[in-house]
Amino acid sequence: MLHNNACRANLFVFSTWWFIADILHKIQKYQVLLSRDLMCGLTNLPYEVLANVADNLSFDDIFSLGRASKDFLFLLTEERICKSFVQNKIKFSNEARTAVKNGGGNARALRIAAKRRDALATAYPFTVVTIGFCDAYIYRKGILCYTLDDRVRILDLHRSAQEELVVSIPGLLTEALSNIGDNSTGTFKCLYYSDGILSCLYDASEEDSPAWLIAFHIKSKRILVTHELESTDKIFVRHNSRHLYYGTHSELGTDGYKKWVIYGYEYKTRKWYDHKVHLPDMVGSEIGSTICFELYKDSFYALSNQTSFEVEEIDWTSFYHCIRFPLNSPCKALLEKTENKSMWRRQHQEGPIDDRWTSLRLDEDETTGELRIIEARKEWYLGSSKSQRTYYTTDIIFPELVKDDVELGLLPDASPQDPNFVLPTTSSWVSAVSSDQTTSAEASSSAAADSGMDSSSSAAITASTSSTAAPDPDEQDISELPNIPLLRLLRKDDHPHHINAPDRRPERTHPGNDGSTQPTHTLAKSRIRTYHASCSTFLDLVDDPHPDDWQGKQRLRLRAGTRKLGPPLRDASGLIRGPDPDLNVALEEMYKVPPIAYWPKAQDLLQPNEHVDAVYKLMNPPTHLGNVEGTADERSFIYVTGGCDQPKALIFVGFDPSINLAGVKQWGGISKKHKGVGEGPHINGRATGYNSSSGSGGFQEGDEWQEGGAYVDVGEAHRTVSIDFKGKGREATGISGPVVHVTSGYSNVNAYECTATSDRGGSGHRGWLWRESAMYRDIGIGLYFGIDREKQNSGEVF
């Protein structure tokens, strides 16, 4: 009896779920409100039943249902129901994590996440702002670090900070490198930011002069690492609140090819690990294209999409190669490597690839929290005459460890008796740092020879195929290769790879425009290319000059291509069926693909719309055109534009409705008294040095440093720094130490005239780090499009 009642209840919920799915499909197809007759069946359902049915819908369908009628508004406003949706559907999104940290606000988090996804899919941002001017920048998870003159400015955009932290580059070098000696000139650039820690590189320009890696905590102003580097070849840095790892492409292998080598440092013990990790089998030298590195859940990950250093004339299959090891114990015994059979990438017969368009990154799934591979490839698929950019999503599968392999007692490189073994700890490292900053910097400063990290005295950890149970492709049985005439040309020194290709899954394959839809954009005109798996959307920043503009002036626009899951597939008898085995057919029948969306909308040059023209001028400052570069994260992107002989304009485009930057005007009400680019307090982007002692609206620390975020390396402009020591008895105008002249590719600045080291009006800033009003507040050029969006959707509840 109970069993029959349960079956009837499940059948009722299942049938109601399909009924709602059909309704949601009609909403997406016709974009109209549901009629009262159509809604009466749902509104009569008991509250608990409807909530149970909604639990089985996707996140986007829940939001569509809540917007369909006022009767379902409770799905988007009641905290208890929204908590179930947010913490189950998008548990690992920034919105869900913020709600958990704040102890509530799940209804607001649901609406913000849904609006963010919709803004990305429609290429319709909420905010566009001129943030400032810079010589170079890095951007990660909403934290912008940009250099201008002799300063690094740090701004938290996701938290809508009204103040930014300012770091004096001369002061930082004086504090960190007390033994700089005669290395008075060099280049300075920011490398990485995470968990309130900024890592930088100072490379002396004199021949045979050293280079230093410097990392400091911005809130406590503590120099955490000052390390003399052996090499800076393709250097990268990844760190969290406990460990710092950096790598260089500098180890020369026996085959004559350069290999990656990784070094690790622990903040608490203030020591470098004795072992450096060699990656001889990780092929690829271009970060973000052929290889990428990330820290995720206390492990270091390295991923490559290349199989061999040399071109194999006879080959069939390409694989992903991924390794990981724990951050607190980088030893050979704990290093894991994926197997080829689990990490299939593509068959070469699928067609040639235009490698210039290839991008590779590791991304955290908002629903499961698992790390996955997202790769973009532009291919002439199956010999087609048209090339097509496609995004592929792949799970990372490591072989299961044997129980004996994970017992520390059986690991010679990580035994408790090993003096270099470091146990995991949850205690804060900040308390272990000396209160004396200079002493701390000197204690952490070390040359490669002193740290015991040279190849002759340290045990190399080699991520070779012998460290796992994976079969070596070089020893593959020839009987496994296809029996085709080409096999007769196989030579002894060839190393072909082959497995039977698994079927591609439509939900993990997202093809873009194949060029049949105009307009098309070349690589040079596609300035930023991103993919957002949460809403299945390509989002690009393209330079799309107006067709009637004979000069072809820069006109940056957003370009988005998305897809929506269609209704359930049915056979001729009306029963639910699976997708077609053919990938192209399955993609066509499973997904509804709307036309490519552009923003801002096109306009007539002879009769331009005043308000649309204002958006174009904001995105394309007339005095700062050309040399566009950019970086994106999951809810915004930033790009620079401008000439090479001047600071570039820094433009922020935000898709998160919760980002509310001070002074941003509502679109359509722009005042004609607005200062233009190059006017106002920051003349040509030069800071006035406004000092604020108030902490309100300033820089904050929090969820923006969660691990697992995507990071894209950006080539940065070099800055030349020269240091001259003052004469004895000479009057000082700022911090004690050498007078520093900073020379970039744009201008020369005298330290005596620079506010970075002066005390102005008795309320100035002493030291090398302080707060200032954010530069975008002085510039005052930005637009908000939220209210306009509500006007366009006035027929809907939200």
Side-chain angles (χ1 to χ4, degrees):
M1 178 88 147
L2 294 175
H3 177 71
N4 292 335
N5 291 337
C7 291
R8 283 195 293 270
N10 291 334
L11 181 61
F12 175 73
V13 171
F14 183 74
S15 60
T16 307
W17 180 80
W18 282 117
F19 176 58
I20 294 178
D22 287 336
I23 292 177
L24 293 173
H25 171 59
K26 294 176 181 178
I27 295 175
Q28 296 175 357
K29 182 177 181 180
Y30 298 106
Q31 293 296 311
V32 296
L33 292 176
L34 297 176
S35 66
R36 182 61 59 182
D37 293 339
L38 188 60
M39 298 299 296
C40 63
L42 288 177
T43 55
N44 292 332
L45 288 177
Y47 175 91
E48 294 80 3
V49 174
L50 185 58
N52 190 11
V53 171
D55 275 334
N56 293 278
L57 297 176
S58 69
F59 178 83
D60 295 327
D61 287 344
I62 291 172
F63 191 72
S64 298
L65 180 61
R67 296 170 59 186
S69 170
K70 292 183 179 179
D71 295 318
F72 302 136
L73 189 59
F74 70 93
L75 295 174
L76 308 181
T77 57
E78 291 196 10
E79 180 68 15
R80 183 180 63 84
I81 293 179
C82 291
K83 181 179 181 180
S84 175
F85 296 156
V86 170
Q87 299 304 326
N88 288 301
K89 306 294 183 181
I90 54 171
K91 181 178 181 180
F92 298 92
S93 65
N94 287 300
E95 293 84 1
R97 285 169 170 163
T98 300
V100 170
K101 180 183 178 183
N102 295 337
N106 288 278
R108 181 173 183 269
L110 183 147
R111 296 192 296 270
I112 290 175
K115 291 180 180 181
R116 166 176 61 86
R117 292 184 175 190
D118 180 71
L120 290 167
T122 57
Y124 197 171
F126 282 91
T127 308
V128 180
V129 182
T130 299
I131 294 299
F133 303 87
C134 70
D135 301 332
Y137 81 98
I138 60 173
Y139 183 63
R140 184 177 185 270
K141 307 200 77 170
I143 306 298
L144 174 66
C145 305
Y146 61 106
T147 58
L148 180 65
D149 296 333
D150 62 344
R151 303 176 187 177
V152 178
R153 310 177 74 90
I154 306 172
L155 178 64
D156 188 347
L157 287 169
H158 283 184
R159 288 175 174 264
S160 309
Q162 299 182 30
E163 294 181 341
E164 55 192 5
L165 293 177
V166 183
V167 179
S168 167
I169 297 175
L172 172 63
L173 295 178
T174 303
E175 182 74 18
L177 304 175
S178 57
N179 59 343
I180 193 171
D182 296 329
N183 301 308
S184 57
T185 60
T187 59
F188 179 92
K189 65 177 180 179
C190 300
L191 295 177
Y192 192 71
Y193 183 92
S194 179
D195 294 86
I197 301 170
L198 179 62
S199 299
C200 310
L201 172 68
Y202 172 67
D203 190 358
S205 59
E206 296 293 334
E207 188 176 358
D208 298 329
S209 295
W212 284 276
L213 174 64
I214 303 171
F216 61 93
H217 191 265
I218 61 172
K219 188 175 182 180
S220 62
K221 301 182 183 181
R222 298 186 185 276
I223 307 294
L224 303 177
V225 177
T226 304
H227 177 65
E228 187 176 329
L229 300 169
E230 293 180 349
S231 172
T232 60
D233 190 6
K234 298 184 181 296
I235 187 172
F236 72 90
V237 176
R238 301 289 184 269
H239 57 69
N240 57 20
S241 60
R242 297 180 183 178
H243 299 88
L244 179 146
Y245 277 82
Y246 80 91
T248 58
H249 195 241
S250 56
E251 258 333 92
L252 191 62
T254 56
D255 54 3
Y257 292 98
K258 284 188 175 182
K259 312 295 175 66
W260 291 97
V261 58
I262 314 297
Y263 305 84
Y265 179 83
E266 186 180 28
Y267 298 134
K268 182 181 179 180
T269 60
R270 287 179 284 171
K271 292 182 180 180
W272 292 92
Y273 290 109
D274 291 336
H275 304 290
K276 55 184 178 181
V277 181
H278 294 267
L279 305 177
D281 295 338
M282 297 300 292
V283 184
S285 60
E286 297 300 325
I287 297 179
S289 178
T290 59
I291 198 167
C292 63
F293 305 93
E294 288 296 341
L295 304 188
Y296 179 73
K297 291 185 177 179
D298 296 324
S299 294
F300 182 97
Y301 283 77
L303 171 71
S304 172
N305 58 13
Q306 304 293 300
T307 300
S308 60
F309 290 96
E310 297 181 354
V311 176
E312 295 292 345
E313 298 295 338
I314 302 178
D315 204 5
W316 284 268
T317 308
S318 175
F319 304 94
Y320 293 108
H321 303 275
C322 187
I323 65 100
R324 69 180 176 187
F325 57 84
L327 297 178
N328 60 6
S329 186
C331 60
K332 179 178 178 180
L334 295 180
L335 189 144
E336 300 177 71
K337 182 181 179 181
T338 56
E339 298 177 341
N340 285 347
K341 64 181 181 180
S342 303
M343 299 298 293
W344 176 72
R345 178 175 177 246
R346 70 189 300 269
Q347 299 295 102
H348 297 315
Q349 67 181 13
E350 293 181 3
I353 302 177
D354 188 346
D355 290 328
R356 300 173 304 164
W357 291 81
T358 301
S359 66
L360 182 71
R361 65 184 174 96
L362 291 167
D363 179 74
E364 183 183 23
D365 189 293
E366 287 189 353
T367 302
T368 65
E370 295 297 324
L371 204 61
R372 58 188 176 181
I373 303 168
I374 295 183
E375 183 185 26
R377 300 196 296 265
K378 192 165 189 178
E379 306 162 303
W380 286 266
Y381 191 69
L382 297 179
S384 173
S385 60
K386 298 177 181 179
S387 61
Q388 185 175 36
R389 179 165 54 127
T390 305
Y391 275 89
Y392 300 93
T393 304
T394 307
D395 291 330
I396 302 176
I397 302 175
F398 286 95
E400 294 185 4
L401 297 177
V402 181
K403 183 177 180 181
D404 292 342
D405 292 341
V406 296
E407 295 180 3
L408 292 179
L410 300 180
L411 297 180
D413 290 19
S415 61
Q417 291 77 20
D418 188 349
N420 298 319
F421 175 70
V422 181
L423 289 174
T425 178
T426 57
S427 60
S428 173
W429 54 265
V430 175
S431 60
V433 181
S434 170
S435 59
D436 188 342
Q437 298 181 20
T438 305
T439 305
S440 174
E442 292 177 354
S444 61
S445 176
S446 60
D450 296 333
S451 63
M453 294 167 62
D454 56 281
S455 57
S456 61
S457 61
S458 64
I461 305 172
T462 305
S464 62
T465 53
S466 60
S467 62
T468 66
D472 189 344
D474 296 346
E475 300 177 359
Q476 185 171 348
D477 189 351
I478 194 173
S479 62
E480 299 178 0
L481 301 178
N483 186 17
I484 58 177
L486 183 64
L487 196 60
R488 301 174 184 175
L489 302 179
L490 193 65
R491 298 174 299 180
K492 185 177 181 180
D493 55 349
D494 289 332
H495 304 288
H497 307 82
H498 175 267
I499 64 170
N500 294 323
D503 294 332
R504 289 198 183 278
R505 296 167 58 181
E507 64 272 21
R508 296 180 177 272
T509 307
H510 189 174
N513 182 18
D514 61 358
S516 59
T517 303
Q518 296 296 327
T520 59
H521 304 280
T522 63
L523 180 65
K525 295 295 185 179
S526 303
R527 303 300 188 176
I528 303 178
R529 307 181 303 278
T530 65
Y531 182 74
H532 297 269
S534 62
C535 52
S536 298
T537 299
F538 294 81
L539 184 63
D540 302 337
L541 179 70
V542 298
D543 186 359
D544 183 29
H546 197 283
D548 297 333
D549 183 6
W550 64 272
Q551 293 180 322
K553 292 181 181 178
Q554 173 180 305
R555 188 179 72 155
L556 297 178
R557 305 175 72 191
L558 301 181
R559 175 183 181 272
T562 188
R563 65 180 184 180
K564 299 291 185 181
L565 189 64
L569 301 177
R570 301 179 183 274
D571 58 18
S573 60
L575 299 178
I576 302 297
R577 66 170 179 87
D580 193 274
D582 184 88
L583 177 62
N584 292 328
V585 176
L587 289 170
E588 185 175 353
E589 64 184 11
M590 285 181 60
Y591 294 98
K592 306 301 179 183
V593 182
I596 299 294
Y598 283 88
W599 187 90
K601 65 180 182 180
Q603 62 174 346
D604 187 354
L605 288 181
L606 298 179
Q607 296 179 341
N609 180 284
E610 176 185 1
H611 301 312
V612 176
D613 188 59
V615 180
Y616 276 113
K617 288 183 178 179
L618 175 58
M619 297 184 66
N620 306 270
T623 58
H624 291 69
L625 299 177
N627 305 297
V628 179
E629 295 178 350
T631 307
D633 63 12
E634 73 284 352
R635 46 182 166 164
S636 61
F637 63 72
I638 260 203
Y639 66 91
V640 292
T641 176
C644 297
D645 58 344
Q646 62 179 348
K648 297 181 180 181
L650 196 57
I651 311 298
F652 171 76
V653 181
F655 299 88
D656 187 340
S658 67
I659 298 176
N660 184 22
L661 299 178
V664 175
K665 306 298 182 182
Q666 171 60 39
W667 183 55
I670 303 175
S671 172
K672 294 184 179 180
K673 296 182 180 180
H674 260 309
K675 298 181 178 65
V677 174
E679 303 176 7
H682 291 79
I683 300 176
N684 292 327
R686 306 304 184 187
T688 60
Y690 167 78
N691 179 44
S692 172
S693 58
S694 172
S696 60
F699 197 91
Q700 303 179 29
E701 297 184 58
D703 290 340
E704 66 272 19
W705 301 301
Q706 294 289 340
E707 300 173 3
Y711 173 75
V712 181
D713 290 279
V714 177
E716 301 181 21
H718 285 175
R719 304 173 55 83
T720 304
V721 182
S722 61
I723 301 180
D724 301 321
F725 289 90
K726 294 186 298 183
K728 183 178 179 180
R730 191 170 179 178
E731 182 181 359
T733 60
I735 59 175
S736 61
V739 176
V740 182
H741 301 275
V742 178
T743 306
S744 70
Y746 310 101
S747 63
N748 298 323
V749 179
N750 191 303
Y752 287 113
E753 301 173 356
C754 181
T755 59
T757 59
S758 64
D759 186 358
R760 304 182 307 132
S763 61
H765 27 261
R766 293 184 179 274
W768 52 272
L769 190 149
W770 64 93
R771 292 179 183 269
E772 282 187 7
S773 175
M775 191 185 296
Y776 74 84
R777 298 184 63 189
D778 292 336
I779 296 173
I781 302 179
L783 296 175
Y784 177 72
F785 302 91
I787 299 178
D788 175 72
R789 189 188 310 266
E790 293 177 4
K791 291 179 179 178
Q792 291 187 3
N793 300 330
S794 57
E796 301 178 354
V797 177
F798 283 91

